Amino acid sequence: MAKLIVILGDQLSPALAALRQVSTDDVILLAEVGSEASYVAHHKHKIILIFSAMRHFSTVLQQQGLQVCYLRFAEHSGIESMTDAVNYTLQQYPTLDGITVTHCGEYRLQQEINSWQQQFSLPLSILDDDRFICDAPRFAAWAKDKKQLRMEYFYRDMRRYTGLLMQGDTPEGGKWNYDAENRKACPADLEQIPPLRFAPDAITAEVVCLVEQHFPDNMGSSDNFCYAVTGKDARRAFLHFVQQQLPVFGDYQDAMLLNQPFIFHSLCSMYLNCGLLDVRWMCNKVQQAYQQGLVPLNAAEGFIRQLIGWREYVRGLYWLLMPDYKQRNGLQAKRDLPGFYWHGKTQMRCMQQAVQHTIEHAYSHHIQRLMITGNFALLAGLSVKQVTDWYLAVYADAYEWVELPNTLGMALFADGGVLASKPYAASGAYINRMSNYCKNCAYNVKHTTEADACPFNALYWDFLNRNQQQLAANPRLALPFANWHKRSDSDKAAILAKAAATLQQLEQL
């Protein structure tokens, strides 16, 4: 029996379940299709990364003596979707008698895949994606009968399950979580250690030309693409992070600095999420570095928590709650996304920096995403769909399974508290504490109602005021609401008037 093995653009892993029993009689399909490249306006770097990595992966498979049907973007008339690509390949190889694919990362595409058996009248085998540590049944079993699905308790379960940073049943160092030690502001004069960069090779150069031809108006510039596109280079990039950046990553992982987009972050989420890196290998390397005394515990634990905690948790939540989860809008946020999310032209220095980093690198780190662009969207009541589509489009590591819960649930609190125990709403004071942006801003972070007031300040109080019915009972918001209610009526009126004026002129901020 010879089968068609379909490999998706985020499944570029030699150990992928669908490739384990591959034979030289099988045909492996990789396809650059229009529907996947354009369902949102993906950043140019994201398209370059995925298409180039796919082409490199195809070369490796062919070097192993395997049959590969590789369909390049726009080179075959009528192939716009993965279904079209499968149909074309089956016509080219009529003796194939089955289709094998690994479960994909997006509900939308999985529904399309589910239709293939009936559409093509061939047996369809959909294999679990065991590149993840926690499969859907395990997550569902963990979530069953719980009133709250908090990541921290899931993370502890994953620590016990994997044995990472454990001494028997006890967490290394006696505590599960060292996040309190990872919130230091970064001194502006601290020497930065940038992530490893890679010059585009001939294959990547071809893809750059393709992207400039077919996606000229998408965010970003192709000229500065410098990311790894092979597993070998992705591993080099990650080992550079472990050896050079991780020792100080923990202390400053929440910090932000003017014109410093990376601050000891690895950028390896984009490699992990498309399959160039393996999560178990990464965690083991970090654990080994800690055990060898090369990195402190708060850095090792903080990084491992991001992988086996947050990453596995949001994937489990996504598949547990989709498709209804995507429609949630608990705070009825409907205001249009301002243009500066796309062009970065705003006097708010923090927003300008976060968006400009995104434009230049298809990247900004988690605090910029949560507490700058996400926080502003939350406070301003921006459309949940427009915001989630933006995050999905502009970041090279964004796939719906990871982007949607992080944005809809954590940044926008649109799920009503399924993911987060409280909204991550903050005034300019938080941004001032964790960055040097405010010292270089046209707005005054200490002002709320004055002409030069930081927009985050009045919008913060307005957010609490307009959402009192949904949020007042949240115990974690008791102090902010108490502080709001202590204010005089005239003070409240001035703040709400300032917020209303700010919301009326978002495009001019």
Side-chain angles (χ1 to χ4, degrees):
M1 293 178 64
K3 58 187 177 293
L4 175 63
I5 300 175
V6 182
I7 306 298
L8 305 175
D10 61 348
Q11 298 180 344
L12 309 180
S13 308
L16 188 73
L19 290 173
R20 294 219 184 104
Q21 304 298 324
V22 64
S23 76
T24 54
D25 294 326
D26 297 328
V27 175
I28 301 170
L29 169 65
L30 291 101
E32 303 166 2
V33 296
S35 61
E36 297 308 306
S38 59
Y39 65 91
V40 291
H42 297 293
H43 196 293
K44 289 179 181 177
H45 285 196
K46 184 178 182 181
I47 302 173
I48 295 169
L49 170 69
I50 295 174
F51 281 8
S52 182
M54 287 172 64
R55 294 184 183 192
H56 283 88
F57 190 63
S58 170
T59 299
V60 171
L61 295 173
Q62 290 172 2
Q63 289 171 347
Q64 295 172 353
L66 300 172
Q67 290 190 79
V68 178
C69 177
Y70 194 97
L71 304 181
R72 293 190 172 199
F73 187 84
E75 289 191 0
H76 295 81
S77 177
I79 298 180
E80 288 296 322
S81 67
M82 286 306 301
T83 300
D84 295 336
V86 170
N87 184 53
Y88 173 87
T89 309
L90 291 173
Q91 291 177 7
Q92 298 300 306
Y93 300 88
T95 60
L96 296 175
D97 51 16
I99 305 170
T100 296
V101 63
T102 302
H103 198 285
C104 82
E106 299 200 356
Y107 183 88
R108 165 193 58 82
L109 182 55
Q110 189 58 49
Q111 297 310 108
E112 180 181 334
I113 291 170
N114 291 345
S115 72
W116 288 352
Q117 181 162 323
Q118 181 175 359
Q119 184 163 351
F120 299 116
S121 300
L122 287 174
L124 174 65
S125 177
I126 301 174
L127 305 177
D128 288 341
D129 190 350
D130 56 10
R131 296 176 302 168
F132 291 89
I133 296 170
C134 181
D135 60 22
R138 182 181 179 88
F139 187 87
W142 172 82
K144 186 178 180 181
D145 298 328
K146 285 185 171 61
K147 293 182 179 180
Q148 295 182 326
L149 304 180
R150 294 291 171 251
M151 188 284 295
E152 177 64 26
Y153 299 105
F154 170 80
Y155 167 58
R156 295 179 186 184
D157 188 61
M158 287 295 98
R159 287 274 295 277
R160 297 185 188 98
Y161 179 60
T162 61
L164 288 164
L165 295 179
M166 295 293 291
Q167 295 291 337
D169 294 329
T170 304
E172 186 72 36
K175 294 196 300 183
W176 291 103
N177 186 317
Y178 289 85
D179 194 42
E181 298 179 20
N182 296 344
R183 300 170 183 167
K184 298 176 183 175
C186 187
D189 59 354
L190 185 66
E191 182 181 0
Q192 299 293 310
I193 303 171
L196 208 57
R197 303 182 181 201
F198 302 87
D201 62 7
I203 293 176
T204 301
E206 278 188 329
V207 175
V208 166
C209 291
L210 180 154
V211 168
E212 286 301 324
Q213 178 184 352
H214 293 281
F215 304 92
D217 299 325
N218 288 38
M219 181 183 280
S221 169
S222 300
D223 295 341
N224 66 331
F225 182 83
C226 58
Y227 296 135
V229 292
T230 66
K232 180 180 179 181
D233 281 346
R235 289 188 292 274
R236 284 181 57 202
F238 184 70
L239 292 177
H240 167 83
F241 164 73
V242 172
Q243 295 160 6
Q244 302 293 326
Q245 299 170 282
L246 183 58
V248 287
F249 163 80
D251 287 353
Y252 305 117
Q253 67 175 359
D254 287 1
M256 299 169 283
L257 284 178
L258 191 70
N259 300 323
Q260 295 289 348
F262 308 128
I263 310 186
F264 309 113
H265 286 261
S266 74
L267 277 70
C268 286
S269 56
M270 66 180 74
Y271 307 144
L272 175 61
N273 289 352
C274 74
L276 297 182
L277 290 177
D278 176 77
V279 66
R280 295 169 181 84
W281 178 84
M282 294 170 74
C283 289
N284 286 332
K285 289 297 181 184
V286 170
Q287 178 172 254
Q288 289 170 13
Y290 164 71
Q291 291 171 340
Q292 293 167 3
L294 302 177
V295 302
L297 180 56
N298 70 311
E301 185 278 320
F303 190 84
I304 286 174
R305 178 166 17 99
Q306 290 185 1
L307 294 187
I308 69 169
W310 276 115
R311 184 173 184 267
E312 297 281 336
Y313 169 78
V314 297
R315 178 180 182 262
L317 202 67
Y318 176 83
W319 286 109
L320 182 71
L321 300 177
M322 282 293 282
D324 295 342
Y325 190 74
K326 192 173 183 177
Q327 308 307 318
R328 298 192 183 191
N329 187 2
L331 300 180
Q332 298 302 303
K334 298 177 181 178
R335 187 169 280 107
D336 284 340
L337 195 72
F340 56 72
Y341 272 80
W342 294 102
H343 53 63
K345 296 175 183 177
T346 171
Q347 295 184 81
M348 293 180 288
R349 182 64 70 197
C350 58
M351 286 292 293
Q352 180 270 327
Q353 286 281 290
V355 175
Q356 192 60 41
H357 295 167
T358 301
I359 293 170
E360 292 177 1
H361 306 292
Y363 171 84
S364 65
H365 74 64
H366 66 286
I367 293 299
Q368 292 170 312
R369 299 190 203 192
L370 177 63
M371 300 307 300
I372 305 294
T373 51
N375 182 27
F376 188 88
L378 174 69
L379 299 183
L382 301 185
S383 161
V384 172
K385 184 180 188 309
Q386 291 181 35
V387 175
T388 55
D389 282 354
W390 182 82
Y391 275 88
L392 186 59
V394 302
Y395 292 114
D397 59 4
Y399 301 86
E400 192 177 75
W401 65 265
V402 64
E403 175 276 327
L404 187 68
N406 272 309
T407 306
L408 185 149
M410 191 171 188
L412 302 180
F413 205 70
D415 64 3
V418 173
L419 187 151
S421 60
K422 72 174 185 67
Y424 279 83
S427 68
Y430 173 86
I431 299 167
N432 191 38
R433 185 166 66 250
M434 296 307 301
S435 77
N436 61 356
Y437 294 157
C438 301
K439 297 174 184 176
N440 299 275
C441 186
Y443 296 104
N444 190 325
V445 71
K446 298 186 181 300
H447 289 174
T448 301
T449 58
E450 293 84 348
D452 66 346
C454 169
F456 282 82
N457 292 339
L459 290 180
Y460 172 75
W461 293 114
D462 182 70
F463 168 80
L464 291 177
N465 182 70
R466 73 175 185 266
N467 292 300
Q468 285 187 74
Q469 183 175 352
Q470 298 97 317
L471 302 177
N474 188 315
R476 296 195 65 190
L477 293 177
L479 182 59
F481 274 115
N483 288 335
W484 173 244
H485 294 312
K486 287 178 184 177
R487 292 178 177 270
S488 68
D489 289 343
S490 60
D491 192 11
K492 290 178 184 177
I495 291 172
L496 296 180
K498 178 65 175 179
T502 300
L503 293 171
Q504 285 293 319
Q505 56 178 10
L506 288 181
E507 296 291 354
Q508 286 76 50
L509 291 179

